[in-house]
Every structure is written in structure tokens, then in C-alpha cells.
Amino acid sequence: MNQEEIKQMELLEQAIDLFQQEVKAKDALIQEQVKVIQAQEQHIDKLTGLLNQIFEE
């Protein structure tokens, strides 16, 4: 490989590393969003139960 090809390979490796970091960051964000959604679902279930109790009385 000549010097230009080596430089291009290094740049490609850097680009791949950045893409991998982006994927990891987005995956972490998605996991956090899933946790938030699950918490919201639990709150909705609790509120629904409370409302049902109120309307039954």
C-alpha cells in the first residue's frame, strides 16, 4: 500500500469508529426511552385502577 491508501484506510477506520459510537449512543438512548415508556405504562395502569375505584363508589 502506498501512503495515500494508508491514509484513506486510517480515515475509513476513524469513520467506522465514529459510526459505532453513534450506534452505541442511540442504542443507549433507546434503552432509556423503553424504561420511560414502561414507567409511563405502570403509571397509567395505577391511574386506571384508581379511576375505576372512584367510579365504582
Side-chain angles (χ1 to χ4, degrees), residues 1-47:
M1 265 193 238
N2 63 34
Q3 197 65 21
E4 183 62 30
E5 290 173 330
I6 291 171
K7 185 177 179 180
Q8 288 178 351
M9 287 299 292
E10 289 172 353
L11 290 173
L12 284 172
E13 288 173 358
Q14 289 175 5
I16 289 169
D17 287 342
L18 289 172
F19 280 125
Q20 288 174 333
Q21 289 174 19
E22 183 178 357
V23 168
K24 286 180 184 178
K26 287 182 178 180
D27 185 54
L29 178 61
I30 289 168
Q31 296 305 317
E32 288 302 314
Q33 289 174 333
V34 166
K35 290 178 187 177
V36 168
I37 290 168
Q38 290 171 339
Q40 289 173 332
E41 288 173 341
Q42 290 175 352
H43 292 154
I44 289 169
D45 289 344
K46 289 178 184 177
L47 289 170

Side-chain angles (χ1 to χ4, degrees), residues 44-57:
I44 289 169
D45 289 344
K46 289 178 184 177
L47 289 170
T48 300
L50 291 171
L51 286 172
N52 286 337
Q53 287 178 355
I54 290 169
F55 289 123
E56 287 174 0
E57 293 180 0

